[in-house]
Amino acid sequence: MSVLHELGGLTLIFGRSVRRLFGMSGHEWIRATALQGHGSLWGVMVVGMATGCVIVLETAAYTAKFGARDIMGGQAGISIIREFGPLMVALLQAGWAGARTAAEVGNLTLGGQFLSLRGLGVEMDGLVSAPRLWGALAAQLMLGLWGQLWATLGGAVAGFALMDVPLGTFLRSFGGTIHPDDIAEGLLKVLVFGLATSLLSLRAGLTAQGGAQAVGRQVATSVVRSVAVILL
């Protein structure tokens, strides 16, 4: 029953956010997008480059064995764009943006601001839930592209440093193998992971009870559940 209760709560948050998509606070949406996107730029850049390097490291031995240096960019690109790139961005956002949202909304819940604003007739879904949900998705989409760019560059640099593969050769192989469908699939995964993380963090914040310790507990719950959903 608790699982059904949580699923019902997540569905309710999503439904209300969809209903308020065109009626939410534009200022809050811009603020949420900027906070969740800008705050993760450096982290996504570093993680993206590290991911590209690690993927090339894993394939270097096989590439050398079969003399396939000319197609290294395409081989690494598939893993970067469709699998590991979206996964790393999602995990980073679960720990950064998801925790931030859960803490912020949890403090508003415990501080009584929600009750005060409802008493004044303010529509809370358009002011809190919807801007943060859609802002998170917009930020995830941009960060997904940003992460793919840096992961590709990281892989190219690692290929040059480890296998003496020219950057031009790596990038030509990458461009010849990766198609728009592959990029779209990677970005779709980023959006799905971002939706799950946003809903779980909003749910955690909105259900916070019991004082300041409850906020920390709900933040931890949000991060753990988000990571579990992403990895599953």
Side-chain angles (χ1 to χ4, degrees), residues 26-212:
H27 177 269
E28 282 295 311
W29 177 77
I30 293 173
R31 174 180 170 274
T33 303
L35 286 175
Q36 299 195 39
H38 181 267
S40 301
L41 284 177
W42 285 101
V44 170
M45 182 181 75
V46 172
V47 170
M49 289 198 70
T51 300
C53 291
V54 169
I55 290 173
V56 169
L57 278 171
E58 290 296 321
T59 59
Y62 299 99
T63 301
K65 180 178 180 180
F66 295 103
R69 296 195 313 161
D70 291 344
I71 62 172
M72 175 183 279
Q75 291 177 323
I78 291 294
S79 298
I80 290 171
I81 298 298
R82 298 177 62 175
E83 302 297 338
F84 292 101
L87 180 64
M88 292 299 104
V89 171
L91 291 174
L92 181 66
Q93 284 298 90
W96 169 255
R100 184 189 186 102
T101 298
E104 184 180 17
V105 175
N107 282 322
L108 291 173
T109 301
L110 294 177
Q113 286 92 333
F114 284 173
L115 291 177
S116 300
L117 291 172
R118 286 196 182 100
L120 295 174
V122 176
E123 175 58 58
M124 296 307 300
D125 295 324
L127 185 64
V128 178
S129 300
R132 283 164 177 77
L133 177 63
W134 301 118
L137 292 183
Q140 287 277 93
L141 183 61
M142 292 183 284
L143 290 172
L145 289 169
W146 180 250
Q148 289 178 350
L149 170 64
W150 285 102
T152 303
L153 291 176
V157 170
F160 178 75
L162 295 173
M163 302 291 299
D164 199 26
V165 177
L167 296 180
T169 300
F170 185 96
L171 294 176
R172 280 194 298 271
S173 174
F174 180 90
T177 305
I178 302 300
H179 300 98
D181 289 347
D182 299 312
I183 298 175
E185 181 179 338
L187 293 178
L188 178 61
K189 290 180 180 179
V190 168
L191 289 175
V192 171
F193 293 150
L195 177 62
T197 298
S198 300
L199 289 175
L200 288 167
S201 60
L202 284 169
R203 173 68 177 168
L206 291 170
T207 56
Q209 296 178 348

